[in-house]
Amino acid sequence: MSDREAYVEAVLRLVEQIPRGKVTTYGAIADALFDEFGGGPRQVGSVMAREGAGMPWWRVVRADGSLPASHGEEARQAYLEEGTPRRVSGAVDLRQAMWLPPTMSS
C-alpha cells in the first residue's frame, strides 16, 4: 500500500468515527494524522473531495463551522436529522458539536 493510499484510509477511518450530531474540522483530522503522515487541512479536504462521497462528509467542516456553499442544503438536512447544534448563521456550533479525533499514536 502506498503512503497516499494509507493516508486516504486513515482519513476515511477517522471520518467514519465521528458520532451522529457531532462534527470535526479538516484541521483536527490533519492534526490527528500529522505525526504519521504530515499534511494539513487541504490534504484532508482533497481526500474528502475525491474519496468521501460514501462517508458522512457533512460531519467535516471548516474551522469556522461552515461547509462550502455547494454542500449547504444537503448538509443542513443532515444536521437537522442528526440534531447537530448550529448557530444562527447556519454554521455548526463548534463549542457544542466538536468531536476531536484520536491521534494515530493513541
Side-chain angles (χ1 to χ4, degrees):
M1 176 181 304
S2 74
D3 287 346
R4 169 79 180 149
E5 291 170 326
Y7 184 73
V8 167
E9 283 191 21
V11 167
L12 298 180
R13 231 181 1 259
L14 288 179
V15 172
E16 288 179 323
Q17 293 177 39
I18 305 168
R20 288 177 59 85
K22 296 290 185 178
V23 298
T24 197
T25 63
Y26 295 100
I29 291 174
D31 288 348
L33 300 176
F34 188 80
D35 287 346
E36 186 166 342
F37 296 102
R42 289 182 188 268
Q43 286 76 19
V44 173
S46 176
V47 168
M48 293 303 295
R50 291 189 180 111
E51 312 284 342
M55 298 284 115
W57 52 264
W58 58 91
R59 295 180 189 157
V60 183
V61 298
R62 294 175 176 156
D64 66 357
S66 69
L67 279 168
S70 61
H71 297 333
E73 192 50 46
E74 195 174 347
R76 273 189 284 281
Q77 187 60 41
Y79 296 148
L80 285 172
E81 290 172 10
E82 295 186 1
T84 306
R86 293 176 35 215
R87 298 189 312 249
V88 174
S89 68
V92 172
D93 184 340
L94 292 177
R95 288 175 295 153
Q96 294 182 46
M98 186 68 174
W99 175 83
L100 292 175
T103 61
M104 292 300 291
S105 57
S106 16

